[in-house]
Amino acid sequence: MTTSKGNLFDPTLITDLISKVKGNSSLAILSGQKPVAFNGQKEFTFSMDKDIDIVAENGKKTEGGVTIAPVTIVPIKVEYGARVSDEFIYATDEEKIDILKAFNDGYAKKLARGLDLMAFHGVNPRTKETSAIIGKNSFDTSITQTVDFKQADPDSNIEDAVSAIQGSEGVVSGMAIDTQFSSALAKMRDNSNNRLFPTLAWGANPGSINGLQTDVNNTVASGSKDYAILGDFTNMFQWGFAKQIPMEVIQYGDPDNSGQDLKGYNQVYLRSETYLGWGIMDTNSFARVIKPAEA
């Protein structure tokens, strides 16, 4: 594999990276990934405003109506870089590939976590500060259906959130929950002192609860008010990569603005950039369990 500056990840590494992102991001686990146009794209959701109408023989037909709501998905560029010894330059191809595989593994996990932090909370993953680039394209800023968290009865929180979504004529296909919410569920017991949710005991992440696809992830809270986010992730949330993923091997200068010249410290810099896009098709199809205002 050639590792000159600006080359793309090997196709095998790209496939591996996407697979690992899908395995570490709650949003990627609960929803389907699809390619996103580099210049952005509009996704349209159609809402049929009325029910079907019976028409008598020779009878008059009436309009049903349809509401078309476009959601624009614009990809955002994200990057990650790391300094390694300049021995990388002189290593054999096999050793270089081993290093790139290790970088790819770490980068996939950072991409997965970053997708959740950006789409859930609208923040820059590195600084944890609200991102003007993301704007209102996040669950925290756009999902207004909320339920106050109850430490002693988180099961009722889920029921209330499901009821809110179904009351808006939505469906629930999945749920992302914080570790604290998972722990509260795991502690619930019936009158015979049996666990109500034994699959969550000892910090487990079973993949589903009561038949509902579920992922336990600390990205759900991550400094926000969220304990759980429920909704139709299958149909009403989309995300994807906008283009192939380039890998740079930089041998000169100070690419991370650390004040340390690469040559002066016998280092090279590995950098990868990715264009990620996502969109919430229908905000009424989701609800959040949040920290109570007085807490």
Side-chain angles (χ1 to χ4, degrees):
M1 175 180 179
T2 304
T3 53
S4 59
K5 179 178 177 180
N7 278 357
L8 297 174
F9 266 123
D10 180 274
T12 301
L13 290 177
I14 293 176
T15 300
D16 184 51
L17 180 137
I18 293 173
S19 175
K20 287 175 178 175
V21 168
K22 290 180 178 179
N24 289 279
S25 159
S26 288
L27 286 170
I29 289 171
L30 298 173
S31 61
Q33 182 259 345
K34 61 178 292 186
V36 176
F38 181 73
N39 292 322
Q41 64 196 45
K42 283 188 177 181
E43 297 288 341
F44 293 91
T45 56
F46 292 82
S47 173
M48 304 301 182
D49 300 330
K50 302 176 184 177
D51 288 323
I52 59 173
D53 191 21
I54 294 176
V55 181
E57 185 175 356
N58 298 320
K60 181 177 68 173
K61 300 181 180 70
T62 60
E63 181 188 5
V66 62
T67 300
I68 304 176
V71 174
T72 302
I73 299 178
V74 178
I76 293 176
K77 181 170 75 171
V78 298
E79 66 85 26
Y80 195 89
R83 291 178 177 238
V84 299
S85 168
D86 63 3
E87 292 177 2
F88 174 87
I89 298 297
Y90 311 108
T92 64
D93 287 344
E94 290 78 11
E95 290 173 329
K96 287 179 181 178
I97 289 175
D98 286 341
I99 293 172
L100 292 182
K101 283 181 178 179
F103 181 87
N104 183 72
D105 182 65
Y107 185 52
K109 293 174 182 176
K110 292 300 181 182
L111 270 181
R113 178 174 172 80
L115 171 61
D116 282 6
L117 294 180
M118 291 187 294
F120 278 151
H121 311 303
V123 300
N124 180 335
R126 185 166 298 174
T127 65
K128 305 300 184 295
E129 296 177 352
T130 300
S131 169
I133 296 174
I134 295 174
K136 295 186 179 299
N137 187 26
S138 73
F139 285 81
D140 283 0
T141 53
S142 63
I143 305 305
T144 58
Q145 296 181 135
T146 60
V147 176
D148 285 348
F149 173 61
K150 296 179 183 178
Q151 181 76 40
D153 191 10
D155 185 35
S156 69
N157 289 159
I158 298 174
E159 292 289 356
D160 290 344
V162 169
S163 178
I165 294 168
Q166 292 178 337
S168 300
E169 299 188 352
V171 300
V172 179
S173 68
M175 173 173 66
I177 61 177
D178 178 61
T179 51
Q180 186 173 344
F181 192 88
S182 173
S183 177
L185 283 173
K187 291 177 182 177
M188 295 189 72
R189 296 177 181 269
D190 61 21
N191 293 332
S192 300
N193 203 36
N194 297 313
R195 290 184 184 272
L196 292 178
F197 303 99
T199 58
L200 288 172
W202 297 352
N205 191 354
S208 68
I209 303 174
N210 289 343
L212 180 66
Q213 186 180 13
T214 303
D215 188 57
V216 181
N217 201 322
N218 61 15
T219 58
V220 176
S222 190
S224 74
K225 297 180 179 180
D226 299 330
Y227 284 90
I229 302 175
L230 296 78
D232 188 3
F233 291 96
T234 300
N235 301 298
M236 294 301 171
F237 180 82
Q238 291 185 13
W239 74 280
F241 297 109
K243 60 180 296 188
Q244 290 177 295
I245 300 162
M247 158 68 75
E248 289 183 293
V249 180
I250 303 172
Q251 301 181 47
Y252 305 98
D254 181 18
D256 56 357
N257 298 305
S258 67
Q260 298 179 344
D261 180 74
L262 289 173
K263 278 294 184 180
Y265 285 84
N266 298 313
Q267 296 171 332
V268 296
Y269 194 78
L270 303 183
R271 172 183 283 153
S272 188
E273 296 180 346
T274 306
Y275 287 82
L276 272 174
W278 67 87
I280 302 169
M281 304 296 109
D282 177 25
T283 57
N284 289 328
S285 291
F286 297 92
R288 298 157 51 220
V289 178
I290 64 172
K291 181 178 181 180
E294 67 276 8

